[in-house]
Amino acid sequence: MENTLHIYNSMDRKKEEFKPNNPPNVGMYVCGPTVYGDAHLGHARPAITFDLLFRYLQHLGYKVRYVRNITDVGHLENDADEGEDKIAKKARLEQLEPMEIVHYYSRRYHKNMDQLNTLPVSIEPSASGHIIEQIEFVKKILESGYAYESEGSVYFDVLKYNEAHDYGKLSGRKVEDLMTNTRDLAGQQEKKNNFDFALWKKAAPEHIMRWPSPWSEGFPGWHMECSAMGKKYLGDNFDIHGGGLDLLFPHHESEIAQSVAANGKDPVNYWMHNNMISINGQKMSKSLGNFITLDELFSGEHKLLTQAYSPIVVRFFILQAHYRSTVDFSNEALQAAEKGLEKLLNSIDTLESLQPGEKTDFDLPAFKTKCYNALNDDLNSPVLIAQLFDAVKFINSVAAGQSEISKKDLDELKELFHTFVFDILGLTKEEKQTPDADESMLSEAINTLLEIRARAKKNKDFQTADMIRDRLKEMNIIVTDTPNGAEWTINK
Ligand code: ZN
């Protein structure tokens, strides 16, 4: 392959030439969402970052197996070993089965990812579908001597592992510092050290998501699923593991320790981490009230938003920053991205309408090289976008009659624009969604009926509630009750 991709490896803290184990095959694992709520900005960034990588690797001719998991069990509150399971808690609050929560939010996550024009991944395994693999993995760690059983739970013995290996080699943390920085918490007496992490947890009586195991009825620790599913679908050692920077420690550090303990080798050759998103300079959090879901962003229905932003504008905005830089969301920044995207997409229409001349007043080979160099330099999308805008200036000057381009070069420029803008950056010329007046009247009428139905249900007038649902169904309008209230779709 003439293109040499260099990627920044978080393990070695430098850019390295990408050399897969078995070219043209590439194995890539990315930590997916814990599906207990709507996808927000924090979910958009890794999805778009690794979609760009997925697209570019395929463009270079690699055959990529992209695995992204769904966490549906074992992710406890505060990412700790104590507390309630995030999904079980949501299920308790909504009075639904945990798997209803999982299915509902997985569906919504996929819808948002489609809107952002991310390609479907190759395999999307769920933690609850791989309990047996996780139990087998825990058994192997116990056999290696780097784990211990305590009161029906199994913990990873960090100190013992660190004597022979290096717990902290990814994050740069030292076990000695962890010892001084972690305080004793209640309920952790069953661990030898409070930084030991759970591989298997015995379920408390009120805990609903539980499976039998050799140690207790319980559930796997959060870090275990990625080790077990990465091994199952990509092998004991694979090419790329990605995720948000917030997952680097303890999640990825612990994944490495688990795999080294069980399989005797490092699981991953290239660790990649995208940086985080802030909002108006602040960390995104529910308590600060600046937590914006993707649906709110696309509809504009949030107090911090002055307008709706289309999914492709959000995608373009994220790609305007290098994935290892921080990104700050603000209305001004998004509006600038909206204008920039419009300019870029308009230039493609202009490009299509250009008439060829005799010669070309533009260094097309240099443009092409610079575009590839940008991507080969650790997926530098902002530099690629800057190169594209350089070409936009030229396109506009040809349209204004100030420069010219030959027939052969015009064809090549069109092809390059399609490749970089649509195939690799994954931008699209989507139609603006403006429902016509009839459609919005129909929506309002249905929503009014559903409000009446909700009131009837509240007053235990189920006859009326069912009548509304059934009559709507006769009109092919299907009403579904969800954790967010009733929703409807038209069955076409
Ligand atoms: Zn993970």
Side-chain angles (χ1 to χ4, degrees), residues 251-284:
H251 187 55
H252 291 158
E253 191 76 68
S254 304
E255 270 187 49
I256 295 170
Q258 291 172 154
S259 292
V260 170
N263 309 317
K265 57 172 103 169
D266 259 298
V268 172
N269 296 337
Y270 301 87
W271 283 93
M272 294 178 73
H273 293 94
N274 63 275
N275 214 319
M276 310 315 283
I277 290 184
S278 55
I279 296 192
N280 299 318
Q282 281 184 308
K283 199 181 161 181
M284 194 166 58

PDB file of all heavy atoms in Angstrom, residues 251-284:
ATOM      1  N   HIS A 251     -10.562   1.361  33.213  1.00  0.00           N
ATOM      2  CA  HIS A 251     -11.164   0.332  32.356  1.00  0.00           C
ATOM      3  C   HIS A 251     -10.135  -0.362  31.448  1.00  0.00           C
ATOM      4  O   HIS A 251      -9.988  -1.585  31.474  1.00  0.00           O
ATOM      5  CB  HIS A 251     -12.307   0.952  31.548  1.00  0.00           C
ATOM      6  CG  HIS A 251     -13.114  -0.021  30.752  1.00  0.00           C
ATOM      7  ND1 HIS A 251     -13.720  -1.116  31.311  1.00  0.00           N
ATOM      8  CD2 HIS A 251     -13.400  -0.091  29.427  1.00  0.00           C
ATOM      9  CE1 HIS A 251     -14.351  -1.800  30.374  1.00  0.00           C
ATOM     10  NE2 HIS A 251     -14.166  -1.204  29.224  1.00  0.00           N
ATOM     11  N   HIS A 252      -9.426   0.409  30.629  1.00  0.00           N
ATOM     12  CA  HIS A 252      -8.503  -0.226  29.682  1.00  0.00           C
ATOM     13  C   HIS A 252      -7.267  -0.797  30.375  1.00  0.00           C
ATOM     14  O   HIS A 252      -6.746  -1.847  29.978  1.00  0.00           O
ATOM     15  CB  HIS A 252      -8.115   0.764  28.588  1.00  0.00           C
ATOM     16  CG  HIS A 252      -9.270   1.100  27.674  1.00  0.00           C
ATOM     17  ND1 HIS A 252      -9.331   2.231  26.913  1.00  0.00           N
ATOM     18  CD2 HIS A 252     -10.428   0.415  27.431  1.00  0.00           C
ATOM     19  CE1 HIS A 252     -10.466   2.245  26.217  1.00  0.00           C
ATOM     20  NE2 HIS A 252     -11.142   1.163  26.528  1.00  0.00           N
ATOM     21  N   GLU A 253      -6.793  -0.087  31.389  1.00  0.00           N
ATOM     22  CA  GLU A 253      -5.653  -0.606  32.158  1.00  0.00           C
ATOM     23  C   GLU A 253      -5.996  -1.989  32.719  1.00  0.00           C
ATOM     24  O   GLU A 253      -5.177  -2.922  32.674  1.00  0.00           O
ATOM     25  CB  GLU A 253      -5.361   0.371  33.323  1.00  0.00           C
ATOM     26  CG  GLU A 253      -4.055   0.102  34.041  1.00  0.00           C
ATOM     27  CD  GLU A 253      -2.855   0.586  33.222  1.00  0.00           C
ATOM     28  OE1 GLU A 253      -2.710   1.807  33.059  1.00  0.00           O
ATOM     29  OE2 GLU A 253      -2.080  -0.264  32.748  1.00  0.00           O
ATOM     30  N   SER A 254      -7.214  -2.130  33.218  1.00  0.00           N
ATOM     31  CA  SER A 254      -7.638  -3.398  33.822  1.00  0.00           C
ATOM     32  C   SER A 254      -7.873  -4.463  32.757  1.00  0.00           C
ATOM     33  O   SER A 254      -7.613  -5.646  32.986  1.00  0.00           O
ATOM     34  CB  SER A 254      -8.906  -3.185  34.648  1.00  0.00           C
ATOM     35  OG  SER A 254      -8.669  -2.176  35.607  1.00  0.00           O
ATOM     36  N   GLU A 255      -8.364  -4.042  31.581  1.00  0.00           N
ATOM     37  CA  GLU A 255      -8.520  -5.010  30.482  1.00  0.00           C
ATOM     38  C   GLU A 255      -7.176  -5.639  30.134  1.00  0.00           C
ATOM     39  O   GLU A 255      -7.087  -6.853  29.905  1.00  0.00           O
ATOM     40  CB  GLU A 255      -9.044  -4.290  29.228  1.00  0.00           C
ATOM     41  CG  GLU A 255     -10.540  -4.228  29.112  1.00  0.00           C
ATOM     42  CD  GLU A 255     -10.937  -3.639  27.751  1.00  0.00           C
ATOM     43  OE1 GLU A 255     -10.409  -4.086  26.710  1.00  0.00           O
ATOM     44  OE2 GLU A 255     -11.761  -2.719  27.731  1.00  0.00           O
ATOM     45  N   ILE A 256      -6.134  -4.799  30.063  1.00  0.00           N
ATOM     46  CA  ILE A 256      -4.798  -5.324  29.722  1.00  0.00           C
ATOM     47  C   ILE A 256      -4.363  -6.332  30.782  1.00  0.00           C
ATOM     48  O   ILE A 256      -3.927  -7.443  30.466  1.00  0.00           O
ATOM     49  CB  ILE A 256      -3.770  -4.170  29.626  1.00  0.00           C
ATOM     50  CG1 ILE A 256      -4.132  -3.239  28.467  1.00  0.00           C
ATOM     51  CG2 ILE A 256      -2.354  -4.721  29.454  1.00  0.00           C
ATOM     52  CD1 ILE A 256      -3.324  -1.946  28.434  1.00  0.00           C
ATOM     53  N   ALA A 257      -4.507  -5.959  32.063  1.00  0.00           N
ATOM     54  CA  ALA A 257      -4.071  -6.845  33.151  1.00  0.00           C
ATOM     55  C   ALA A 257      -4.817  -8.177  33.100  1.00  0.00           C
ATOM     56  O   ALA A 257      -4.221  -9.248  33.234  1.00  0.00           O
ATOM     57  CB  ALA A 257      -4.283  -6.141  34.496  1.00  0.00           C
ATOM     58  N   GLN A 258      -6.138  -8.110  32.868  1.00  0.00           N
ATOM     59  CA  GLN A 258      -6.934  -9.337  32.800  1.00  0.00           C
ATOM     60  C   GLN A 258      -6.437 -10.252  31.682  1.00  0.00           C
ATOM     61  O   GLN A 258      -6.295 -11.465  31.858  1.00  0.00           O
ATOM     62  CB  GLN A 258      -8.405  -8.996  32.527  1.00  0.00           C
ATOM     63  CG  GLN A 258      -9.090  -8.307  33.684  1.00  0.00           C
ATOM     64  CD  GLN A 258     -10.494  -7.792  33.350  1.00  0.00           C
ATOM     65  OE1 GLN A 258     -11.320  -7.659  34.223  1.00  0.00           O
ATOM     66  NE2 GLN A 258     -10.765  -7.483  32.102  1.00  0.00           N
ATOM     67  N   SER A 259      -6.192  -9.665  30.503  1.00  0.00           N
ATOM     68  CA  SER A 259      -5.805 -10.470  29.344  1.00  0.00           C
ATOM     69  C   SER A 259      -4.405 -11.037  29.519  1.00  0.00           C
ATOM     70  O   SER A 259      -4.157 -12.190  29.164  1.00  0.00           O
ATOM     71  CB  SER A 259      -5.866  -9.624  28.071  1.00  0.00           C
ATOM     72  OG  SER A 259      -7.205  -9.300  27.798  1.00  0.00           O
ATOM     73  N   VAL A 260      -3.482 -10.226  30.044  1.00  0.00           N
ATOM     74  CA  VAL A 260      -2.125 -10.735  30.268  1.00  0.00           C
ATOM     75  C   VAL A 260      -2.186 -11.883  31.269  1.00  0.00           C
ATOM     76  O   VAL A 260      -1.559 -12.932  31.087  1.00  0.00           O
ATOM     77  CB  VAL A 260      -1.190  -9.603  30.761  1.00  0.00           C
ATOM     78  CG1 VAL A 260       0.143 -10.169  31.240  1.00  0.00           C
ATOM     79  CG2 VAL A 260      -0.973  -8.587  29.642  1.00  0.00           C
ATOM     80  N   ALA A 261      -2.978 -11.735  32.333  1.00  0.00           N
ATOM     81  CA  ALA A 261      -3.092 -12.777  33.354  1.00  0.00           C
ATOM     82  C   ALA A 261      -3.692 -14.059  32.768  1.00  0.00           C
ATOM     83  O   ALA A 261      -3.226 -15.160  33.054  1.00  0.00           O
ATOM     84  CB  ALA A 261      -3.937 -12.280  34.521  1.00  0.00           C
ATOM     85  N   ALA A 262      -4.714 -13.925  31.919  1.00  0.00           N
ATOM     86  CA  ALA A 262      -5.411 -15.113  31.408  1.00  0.00           C
ATOM     87  C   ALA A 262      -4.711 -15.741  30.216  1.00  0.00           C
ATOM     88  O   ALA A 262      -4.670 -16.957  30.083  1.00  0.00           O
ATOM     89  CB  ALA A 262      -6.845 -14.754  31.023  1.00  0.00           C
ATOM     90  N   ASN A 263      -4.172 -14.912  29.300  1.00  0.00           N
ATOM     91  CA  ASN A 263      -3.657 -15.428  28.033  1.00  0.00           C
ATOM     92  C   ASN A 263      -2.143 -15.331  27.905  1.00  0.00           C
ATOM     93  O   ASN A 263      -1.581 -15.795  26.916  1.00  0.00           O
ATOM     94  CB  ASN A 263      -4.293 -14.671  26.854  1.00  0.00           C
ATOM     95  CG  ASN A 263      -5.806 -14.621  26.960  1.00  0.00           C
ATOM     96  OD1 ASN A 263      -6.425 -15.621  27.299  1.00  0.00           O
ATOM     97  ND2 ASN A 263      -6.390 -13.472  26.702  1.00  0.00           N
ATOM     98  N   GLY A 264      -1.510 -14.652  28.848  1.00  0.00           N
ATOM     99  CA  GLY A 264      -0.053 -14.560  28.816  1.00  0.00           C
ATOM    100  C   GLY A 264       0.492 -13.605  27.778  1.00  0.00           C
ATOM    101  O   GLY A 264       1.683 -13.595  27.512  1.00  0.00           O
ATOM    102  N   LYS A 265      -0.396 -12.799  27.150  1.00  0.00           N
ATOM    103  CA  LYS A 265       0.144 -11.822  26.198  1.00  0.00           C
ATOM    104  C   LYS A 265      -0.695 -10.550  26.180  1.00  0.00           C
ATOM    105  O   LYS A 265      -1.872 -10.561  26.567  1.00  0.00           O
ATOM    106  CB  LYS A 265       0.269 -12.416  24.805  1.00  0.00           C
ATOM    107  CG  LYS A 265      -1.004 -12.972  24.218  1.00  0.00           C
ATOM    108  CD  LYS A 265      -0.802 -13.361  22.759  1.00  0.00           C
ATOM    109  CE  LYS A 265      -0.660 -14.851  22.578  1.00  0.00           C
ATOM    110  NZ  LYS A 265      -0.718 -15.292  21.187  1.00  0.00           N
ATOM    111  N   ASP A 266      -0.053  -9.478  25.718  1.00  0.00           N
ATOM    112  CA  ASP A 266      -0.752  -8.204  25.581  1.00  0.00           C
ATOM    113  C   ASP A 266      -1.881  -8.338  24.576  1.00  0.00           C
ATOM    114  O   ASP A 266      -1.661  -8.859  23.480  1.00  0.00           O
ATOM    115  CB  ASP A 266       0.224  -7.131  25.097  1.00  0.00           C
ATOM    116  CG  ASP A 266       0.676  -6.251  26.236  1.00  0.00           C
ATOM    117  OD1 ASP A 266      -0.198  -5.583  26.824  1.00  0.00           O
ATOM    118  OD2 ASP A 266       1.886  -6.240  26.544  1.00  0.00           O
ATOM    119  N   PRO A 267      -3.082  -7.875  24.926  1.00  0.00           N
ATOM    120  CA  PRO A 267      -4.206  -8.100  24.013  1.00  0.00           C
ATOM    121  C   PRO A 267      -4.184  -7.219  22.767  1.00  0.00           C
ATOM    122  O   PRO A 267      -4.754  -7.603  21.748  1.00  0.00           O
ATOM    123  CB  PRO A 267      -5.436  -7.779  24.872  1.00  0.00           C
ATOM    124  CG  PRO A 267      -4.941  -6.852  25.935  1.00  0.00           C
ATOM    125  CD  PRO A 267      -3.506  -7.249  26.190  1.00  0.00           C
ATOM    126  N   VAL A 268      -3.558  -6.033  22.841  1.00  0.00           N
ATOM    127  CA  VAL A 268      -3.775  -5.016  21.809  1.00  0.00           C
ATOM    128  C   VAL A 268      -2.442  -4.401  21.371  1.00  0.00           C
ATOM    129  O   VAL A 268      -1.572  -4.146  22.202  1.00  0.00           O
ATOM    130  CB  VAL A 268      -4.682  -3.895  22.390  1.00  0.00           C
ATOM    131  CG1 VAL A 268      -4.791  -2.725  21.429  1.00  0.00           C
ATOM    132  CG2 VAL A 268      -6.066  -4.443  22.731  1.00  0.00           C
ATOM    133  N   ASN A 269      -2.302  -4.134  20.067  1.00  0.00           N
ATOM    134  CA  ASN A 269      -1.073  -3.500  19.569  1.00  0.00           C
ATOM    135  C   ASN A 269      -1.150  -1.974  19.550  1.00  0.00           C
ATOM    136  O   ASN A 269      -0.153  -1.306  19.770  1.00  0.00           O
ATOM    137  CB  ASN A 269      -0.745  -4.021  18.168  1.00  0.00           C
ATOM    138  CG  ASN A 269      -0.436  -5.503  18.186  1.00  0.00           C
ATOM    139  OD1 ASN A 269      -0.054  -6.055  19.220  1.00  0.00           O
ATOM    140  ND2 ASN A 269      -0.618  -6.167  17.056  1.00  0.00           N
ATOM    141  N   TYR A 270      -2.336  -1.427  19.239  1.00  0.00           N
ATOM    142  CA  TYR A 270      -2.481   0.039  19.168  1.00  0.00           C
ATOM    143  C   TYR A 270      -3.688   0.461  20.005  1.00  0.00           C
ATOM    144  O   TYR A 270      -4.823   0.072  19.705  1.00  0.00           O
ATOM    145  CB  TYR A 270      -2.695   0.518  17.726  1.00  0.00           C
ATOM    146  CG  TYR A 270      -1.574   0.143  16.793  1.00  0.00           C
ATOM    147  CD1 TYR A 270      -1.579  -1.096  16.144  1.00  0.00           C
ATOM    148  CD2 TYR A 270      -0.500   1.009  16.571  1.00  0.00           C
ATOM    149  CE1 TYR A 270      -0.538  -1.460  15.300  1.00  0.00           C
ATOM    150  CE2 TYR A 270       0.544   0.645  15.717  1.00  0.00           C
ATOM    151  CZ  TYR A 270       0.514  -0.591  15.093  1.00  0.00           C
ATOM    152  OH  TYR A 270       1.537  -0.953  14.251  1.00  0.00           O
ATOM    153  N   TRP A 271      -3.425   1.250  21.034  1.00  0.00           N
ATOM    154  CA  TRP A 271      -4.513   1.802  21.852  1.00  0.00           C
ATOM    155  C   TRP A 271      -4.795   3.224  21.393  1.00  0.00           C
ATOM    156  O   TRP A 271      -3.878   4.049  21.336  1.00  0.00           O
ATOM    157  CB  TRP A 271      -4.110   1.818  23.329  1.00  0.00           C
ATOM    158  CG  TRP A 271      -4.181   0.477  23.977  1.00  0.00           C
ATOM    159  CD1 TRP A 271      -3.169  -0.424  24.097  1.00  0.00           C
ATOM    160  CD2 TRP A 271      -5.336  -0.129  24.598  1.00  0.00           C
ATOM    161  NE1 TRP A 271      -3.612  -1.555  24.746  1.00  0.00           N
ATOM    162  CE2 TRP A 271      -4.931  -1.397  25.062  1.00  0.00           C
ATOM    163  CE3 TRP A 271      -6.660   0.280  24.792  1.00  0.00           C
ATOM    164  CZ2 TRP A 271      -5.815  -2.258  25.712  1.00  0.00           C
ATOM    165  CZ3 TRP A 271      -7.528  -0.569  25.435  1.00  0.00           C
ATOM    166  CH2 TRP A 271      -7.108  -1.830  25.891  1.00  0.00           C
ATOM    167  N   MET A 272      -6.059   3.508  21.070  1.00  0.00           N
ATOM    168  CA  MET A 272      -6.402   4.865  20.598  1.00  0.00           C
ATOM    169  C   MET A 272      -7.500   5.460  21.469  1.00  0.00           C
ATOM    170  O   MET A 272      -8.473   4.778  21.786  1.00  0.00           O
ATOM    171  CB  MET A 272      -6.895   4.796  19.145  1.00  0.00           C
ATOM    172  CG  MET A 272      -5.802   4.362  18.171  1.00  0.00           C
ATOM    173  SD  MET A 272      -6.447   4.247  16.482  1.00  0.00           S
ATOM    174  CE  MET A 272      -6.616   5.985  16.057  1.00  0.00           C
ATOM    175  N   HIS A 273      -7.345   6.728  21.829  1.00  0.00           N
ATOM    176  CA  HIS A 273      -8.336   7.382  22.696  1.00  0.00           C
ATOM    177  C   HIS A 273      -8.730   8.740  22.150  1.00  0.00           C
ATOM    178  O   HIS A 273      -7.866   9.563  21.859  1.00  0.00           O
ATOM    179  CB  HIS A 273      -7.769   7.532  24.113  1.00  0.00           C
ATOM    180  CG  HIS A 273      -7.572   6.214  24.796  1.00  0.00           C
ATOM    181  ND1 HIS A 273      -6.369   5.546  24.766  1.00  0.00           N
ATOM    182  CD2 HIS A 273      -8.446   5.428  25.462  1.00  0.00           C
ATOM    183  CE1 HIS A 273      -6.500   4.389  25.406  1.00  0.00           C
ATOM    184  NE2 HIS A 273      -7.750   4.283  25.844  1.00  0.00           N
ATOM    185  N   ASN A 274     -10.038   8.938  22.015  1.00  0.00           N
ATOM    186  CA  ASN A 274     -10.509  10.273  21.631  1.00  0.00           C
ATOM    187  C   ASN A 274     -10.646  11.138  22.883  1.00  0.00           C
ATOM    188  O   ASN A 274     -10.938  10.629  23.966  1.00  0.00           O
ATOM    189  CB  ASN A 274     -11.855  10.189  20.900  1.00  0.00           C
ATOM    190  CG  ASN A 274     -12.963   9.621  21.756  1.00  0.00           C
ATOM    191  OD1 ASN A 274     -13.111   8.408  21.832  1.00  0.00           O
ATOM    192  ND2 ASN A 274     -13.734  10.466  22.422  1.00  0.00           N
ATOM    193  N   ASN A 275     -10.406  12.449  22.694  1.00  0.00           N
ATOM    194  CA  ASN A 275     -10.543  13.379  23.825  1.00  0.00           C
ATOM    195  C   ASN A 275     -12.015  13.698  24.100  1.00  0.00           C
ATOM    196  O   ASN A 275     -12.904  13.250  23.385  1.00  0.00           O
ATOM    197  CB  ASN A 275      -9.741  14.648  23.532  1.00  0.00           C
ATOM    198  CG  ASN A 275      -9.153  15.233  24.795  1.00  0.00           C
ATOM    199  OD1 ASN A 275      -9.819  15.273  25.828  1.00  0.00           O
ATOM    200  ND2 ASN A 275      -7.912  15.676  24.721  1.00  0.00           N
ATOM    201  N   MET A 276     -12.272  14.492  25.119  1.00  0.00           N
ATOM    202  CA  MET A 276     -13.632  14.691  25.600  1.00  0.00           C
ATOM    203  C   MET A 276     -14.267  15.963  25.011  1.00  0.00           C
ATOM    204  O   MET A 276     -13.600  16.783  24.413  1.00  0.00           O
ATOM    205  CB  MET A 276     -13.664  14.778  27.129  1.00  0.00           C
ATOM    206  CG  MET A 276     -12.914  13.644  27.824  1.00  0.00           C
ATOM    207  SD  MET A 276     -13.239  12.009  27.139  1.00  0.00           S
ATOM    208  CE  MET A 276     -14.817  11.695  27.836  1.00  0.00           C
ATOM    209  N   ILE A 277     -15.576  16.096  25.250  1.00  0.00           N
ATOM    210  CA  ILE A 277     -16.329  17.263  24.788  1.00  0.00           C
ATOM    211  C   ILE A 277     -16.789  18.058  26.000  1.00  0.00           C
ATOM    212  O   ILE A 277     -17.304  17.494  26.967  1.00  0.00           O
ATOM    213  CB  ILE A 277     -17.559  16.816  23.954  1.00  0.00           C
ATOM    214  CG1 ILE A 277     -17.096  16.234  22.616  1.00  0.00           C
ATOM    215  CG2 ILE A 277     -18.518  17.972  23.743  1.00  0.00           C
ATOM    216  CD1 ILE A 277     -18.204  15.839  21.679  1.00  0.00           C
ATOM    217  N   SER A 278     -16.575  19.362  25.951  1.00  0.00           N
ATOM    218  CA  SER A 278     -17.124  20.216  27.014  1.00  0.00           C
ATOM    219  C   SER A 278     -18.209  21.095  26.399  1.00  0.00           C
ATOM    220  O   SER A 278     -18.306  21.216  25.175  1.00  0.00           O
ATOM    221  CB  SER A 278     -16.022  21.077  27.634  1.00  0.00           C
ATOM    222  OG  SER A 278     -15.373  21.820  26.621  1.00  0.00           O
ATOM    223  N   ILE A 279     -19.022  21.698  27.258  1.00  0.00           N
ATOM    224  CA  ILE A 279     -20.097  22.564  26.766  1.00  0.00           C
ATOM    225  C   ILE A 279     -19.921  23.947  27.363  1.00  0.00           C
ATOM    226  O   ILE A 279     -19.892  24.091  28.590  1.00  0.00           O
ATOM    227  CB  ILE A 279     -21.474  21.975  27.126  1.00  0.00           C
ATOM    228  CG1 ILE A 279     -21.631  20.635  26.392  1.00  0.00           C
ATOM    229  CG2 ILE A 279     -22.594  22.939  26.768  1.00  0.00           C
ATOM    230  CD1 ILE A 279     -22.992  20.057  26.388  1.00  0.00           C
ATOM    231  N   ASN A 280     -19.743  24.924  26.503  1.00  0.00           N
ATOM    232  CA  ASN A 280     -19.456  26.291  26.941  1.00  0.00           C
ATOM    233  C   ASN A 280     -18.354  26.305  27.997  1.00  0.00           C
ATOM    234  O   ASN A 280     -18.428  27.009  28.992  1.00  0.00           O
ATOM    235  CB  ASN A 280     -20.719  26.972  27.490  1.00  0.00           C
ATOM    236  CG  ASN A 280     -21.806  27.075  26.422  1.00  0.00           C
ATOM    237  OD1 ASN A 280     -21.520  27.402  25.274  1.00  0.00           O
ATOM    238  ND2 ASN A 280     -23.044  26.781  26.790  1.00  0.00           N
ATOM    239  N   GLY A 281     -17.341  25.479  27.780  1.00  0.00           N
ATOM    240  CA  GLY A 281     -16.175  25.465  28.661  1.00  0.00           C
ATOM    241  C   GLY A 281     -16.332  24.618  29.911  1.00  0.00           C
ATOM    242  O   GLY A 281     -15.400  24.506  30.700  1.00  0.00           O
ATOM    243  N   GLN A 282     -17.514  24.015  30.087  1.00  0.00           N
ATOM    244  CA  GLN A 282     -17.726  23.214  31.300  1.00  0.00           C
ATOM    245  C   GLN A 282     -17.860  21.749  30.964  1.00  0.00           C
ATOM    246  O   GLN A 282     -18.317  21.380  29.889  1.00  0.00           O
ATOM    247  CB  GLN A 282     -19.012  23.657  32.001  1.00  0.00           C
ATOM    248  CG  GLN A 282     -18.853  24.924  32.810  1.00  0.00           C
ATOM    249  CD  GLN A 282     -20.140  25.230  33.547  1.00  0.00           C
ATOM    250  OE1 GLN A 282     -21.213  25.281  32.951  1.00  0.00           O
ATOM    251  NE2 GLN A 282     -20.025  25.437  34.851  1.00  0.00           N
ATOM    252  N   LYS A 283     -17.493  20.925  31.920  1.00  0.00           N
ATOM    253  CA  LYS A 283     -17.684  19.497  31.764  1.00  0.00           C
ATOM    254  C   LYS A 283     -19.186  19.206  31.677  1.00  0.00           C
ATOM    255  O   LYS A 283     -19.979  19.855  32.360  1.00  0.00           O
ATOM    256  CB  LYS A 283     -17.070  18.792  32.985  1.00  0.00           C
ATOM    257  CG  LYS A 283     -16.798  17.336  32.734  1.00  0.00           C
ATOM    258  CD  LYS A 283     -16.210  16.652  33.955  1.00  0.00           C
ATOM    259  CE  LYS A 283     -16.424  15.177  33.760  1.00  0.00           C
ATOM    260  NZ  LYS A 283     -15.995  14.318  34.771  1.00  0.00           N
ATOM    261  N   MET A 284     -19.559  18.256  30.816  1.00  0.00           N
ATOM    262  CA  MET A 284     -20.973  17.936  30.667  1.00  0.00           C
ATOM    263  C   MET A 284     -21.419  17.072  31.842  1.00  0.00           C
ATOM    264  O   MET A 284     -20.814  16.049  32.120  1.00  0.00           O
ATOM    265  CB  MET A 284     -21.155  17.178  29.359  1.00  0.00           C
ATOM    266  CG  MET A 284     -22.569  17.062  28.907  1.00  0.00           C
ATOM    267  SD  MET A 284     -22.677  16.527  27.190  1.00  0.00           S
ATOM    268  CE  MET A 284     -21.804  14.998  27.227  1.00  0.00           C
TER     269      MET A 284
END
